[in-house]
Amino acid sequence: MDNLISFLIAAGIILTFLLLHLRKLKKREVQALEALEKGKLRSDGPQSQHPHIDATYCIGCAACTMVCPEGDVLAMLGGKAVIANGYKCIGHSLCAEVCPVGAITMVMASASMGGDMPYLTREFETSVKNMFIVGELGGLALIKNAVNQGRDCIDNIARKTAALGGARRSPDIYDVLIVGAGPAGISASLRAAEKKLNYITIDEGEIGGTVAKYPRQKLVMTSPVEFPMHGKFKKTELSKEELLAFWQKVLQRADFKCRQGEKVDDIKKGQDGVFTVATAKAQYRAHAVLLALGKGGSPRKLGVKGEELPKVMYRLIEADHYVNKKILVVGGGDSAIEAAMGLGHQVGNQVTLSYRKEAFSRIKERNAQRIQESIRKGRVKVIFNSNPVEFKQDSVVLDVGGKTQTVPNDFVWIFAGGEPPTAFLKKIGIGFGVQDLTSAGGREVKAAKESALVLA
């Protein structure tokens, strides 16, 4: 009798855990279906780098779905990981790193999606031999990716330079000329110094590139990365100010060779294979050119009447400089959301966010949660399905669902993206189309399969 009671108790415990597990699986599948439905709003799919899942080797552990900072990029369906919202992926690569059987590799967008991206090989080389592109311009977001690519690309150039020996090296011809002093350019410059290459870096703006223009205290890094001439930077959260200060410290130690305030106007390759890089101030010659320009370019304008007014701006640096103001923010991406929330936290501000679509669909998960909280607390008012049609001195006229609405206004910020330097790239001979670039954070498919077979 005692044995029977013990058996029943054990069976009850096992059954309870089984039911809880089945309920958890059911809940997970419901969440996956919801994510897939939400993903259908963006039928154009992944825009650049994204995970590729080999279902043959996926063991359904769900680890990949739990590490992505962007939320529901991946989901579990039928016991396998699937891409639910690929357009949200910005290349963290954490899913590939955490997969215990290597079933996930990071790949670029399809040819149809990558048609407006410059062609790149796995070594970051363009269609012009010895001209390279790294960072966001090549299709990858995230400072971590830019740093990794800048470092790895210089390693490749250093190998080529070493193979040439002293045959082609000349003191008046640089081994590599780096265009851009943002995250990728800084990383490349440090690595070039570390490899004792004869290099020069040119930038038309300030050190830090786009990062230097971010709002104050913006969180810019959320995962560790290895910086040349420093090693592994293990801090998991880094603000704009902390990153810029760190760069300045390392660059001073490395004797950073940079010419600021020079915009590259043209790049030509001679019959001897040497590039001539022209700016308004000088001409430089180099065996290799590395473009780390970034993708944003000049801010994209709306072409709306009154857009030339001084109150209309395209970049927010110090949100706390604006108090007791009536403010309109135009856009639906992360920059617009963050600007609206930052301005909404200042004393007395009345912030309205105008977005042309019916819902936010391409913002980070944490921003999606925070903007809802700001709306609930009345700090930000959002008007969906709206477009500005005229900016006036003390108001803005919006088209809201086909009807005009006038909103009192002191300042306007427009976040409509930037005009990428496509024309310049085509001018210097770079081809566009299908890319052959594999993320440094991803794993080779062959290695993934071998790992899975060993575990099996």
Side-chain angles (χ1 to χ4, degrees):
M1 188 65 179
D2 290 342
N3 289 338
L4 179 60
I5 293 173
S6 298
F7 174 78
L8 291 173
I9 292 173
I13 293 173
I14 293 172
L15 183 61
T16 300
F17 278 107
L18 179 61
L19 290 173
L20 289 172
H21 178 66
L22 291 174
R23 184 180 296 176
K24 183 178 179 180
L25 289 178
K26 181 66 176 177
K27 182 179 178 181
R28 185 188 294 169
E29 295 230 344
V30 169
Q31 291 174 338
L33 290 171
E34 289 176 351
L36 286 168
E37 285 300 314
K38 187 166 60 174
K40 289 178 181 178
L41 295 173
R42 295 286 309 192
S43 58
D44 46 359
Q47 302 295 296
S48 57
Q49 189 189 37
H50 64 283
H52 170 74
I53 304 165
D54 191 333
T56 306
Y57 301 100
C58 176
I59 60 175
C61 66
C64 58
T65 67
M66 296 184 284
V67 296
C68 182
E70 307 311 317
D72 53 356
V73 172
L74 301 178
M76 297 301 298
L77 195 61
K80 301 285 186 179
V82 296
I83 298 176
N85 291 289
Y87 66 87
K88 284 186 175 182
C89 182
I90 58 175
H92 289 282
S93 301
L94 297 178
C95 54
E97 294 171 14
V98 78
C99 180
V101 295
I104 299 177
T105 54
M106 301 302 292
V107 299
M108 297 304 291
S110 64
S112 62
M113 293 305 302
D116 61 345
M117 301 297 298
Y119 167 84
L120 295 179
T121 68
R122 292 172 184 267
E123 286 73 37
F124 316 105
E125 192 170 26
T126 69
S127 58
V128 179
K129 187 175 177 59
N130 290 324
M131 185 180 290
F132 303 83
I133 287 178
V134 293
E136 190 180 18
L137 186 59
L140 299 183
L142 291 184
I143 291 173
K144 178 183 79 170
N145 288 334
V147 169
N148 289 338
Q149 284 195 351
R151 180 191 67 229
D152 296 345
C153 187
I154 289 294
D155 285 345
N156 180 48
I157 293 172
R159 283 192 294 270
K160 289 187 175 185
T161 303
L164 293 172
R168 281 176 51 191
R169 300 190 75 174
S170 172
D172 63 333
I173 301 177
Y174 293 102
D175 293 324
V176 58
L177 184 143
I178 300 163
V179 183
I186 289 174
S187 176
S189 302
L190 291 173
R191 192 60 144 197
E194 197 171 40
K195 293 288 184 178
K196 299 189 178 350
L197 294 178
N198 180 20
Y199 82 96
I200 189 71
T201 300
I202 299 173
D203 194 283
E204 64 176 309
E206 53 191 318
I207 303 300
T210 306
V211 174
K213 299 178 178 65
Y214 283 156
R216 189 161 56 88
Q217 291 301 314
K218 175 179 171 66
L219 188 66
V220 295
M221 285 185 62
T222 57
S223 57
V225 65
E226 182 182 342
F227 283 100
M229 303 195 78
H230 174 80
K232 192 81 170 180
F233 197 91
K234 298 181 180 179
K235 193 168 183 179
T236 56
E237 289 192 354
L238 208 62
S239 70
K240 160 196 165 179
E241 287 77 11
E242 289 173 321
L243 182 57
L244 290 175
F246 166 73
W247 275 338
Q248 287 293 341
K249 181 179 178 181
V250 178
L251 291 174
Q252 286 174 5
R253 191 170 65 215
D255 189 24
F256 181 40
K257 298 173 182 176
C258 180
R259 304 278 176 86
Q260 290 180 256
E262 290 194 43
K263 181 179 180 180
V264 174
D265 297 319
D266 198 11
I267 302 175
K268 292 181 179 177
K269 189 175 185 181
Q271 291 185 346
D272 58 355
V274 176
F275 293 95
T276 299
V277 181
T279 73
K281 297 180 179 179
Q283 286 194 344
Y284 305 88
R285 301 184 74 209
H287 289 299
V289 173
L290 192 157
L291 301 176
L293 298 171
K295 192 178 179 181
S298 303
R300 182 178 285 114
K301 297 188 177 183
L302 302 180
V304 171
K305 184 179 179 181
E307 195 170 356
E308 72 284 352
L309 290 172
K311 75 171 189 176
V312 179
M313 294 169 280
Y314 302 87
R315 185 171 285 125
L316 175 65
I317 303 295
E318 306 288 352
D320 57 356
H321 286 189
Y322 302 89
V323 296
N324 299 311
K325 302 296 182 183
K326 297 178 178 66
I327 295 168
L328 176 74
V329 177
V330 181
D334 286 305
S335 296
I337 298 293
E338 291 169 1
M341 291 188 297
L343 291 163
H345 274 79
Q346 308 311 314
V347 176
N349 282 346
Q350 298 176 35
V351 180
T352 301
L353 178 63
S354 168
Y355 186 40
R356 59 191 175 88
K357 296 186 178 181
E358 62 183 14
F360 301 121
S361 59
R362 295 201 64 186
I363 60 175
K364 295 182 176 68
E365 192 67 24
R366 57 178 176 268
N367 280 341
Q369 296 171 0
R370 290 173 60 209
I371 189 61
Q372 290 302 322
E373 182 70 8
S374 293
I375 294 170
R376 188 182 66 80
K377 291 183 176 180
R379 291 174 176 165
V380 178
K381 177 184 177 182
V382 179
I383 304 178
F384 291 109
N385 297 313
S386 64
N387 287 288
V389 293
E390 185 177 358
F391 300 117
K392 300 181 178 181
Q393 287 290 351
D394 57 359
S395 66
V396 173
V397 180
L398 298 176
D399 179 327
V400 184
K403 298 180 180 179
T404 58
Q405 178 178 330
T406 300
V407 180
N409 177 258
D410 297 309
F411 292 102
V412 175
W413 273 271
I414 297 173
F415 296 91
E419 299 288 352
T422 305
F424 173 74
L425 297 181
K426 290 182 177 179
K427 172 186 172 183
I428 61 177
I430 291 177
F432 284 67
V434 181
Q435 300 192 56
D436 186 30
L437 177 62
T438 298
S439 162
R443 303 178 185 181
E444 295 293 340
V445 174
K446 180 180 178 182
K449 292 182 177 179
E450 288 175 352
S451 300
L453 289 171
V454 169
L455 288 171

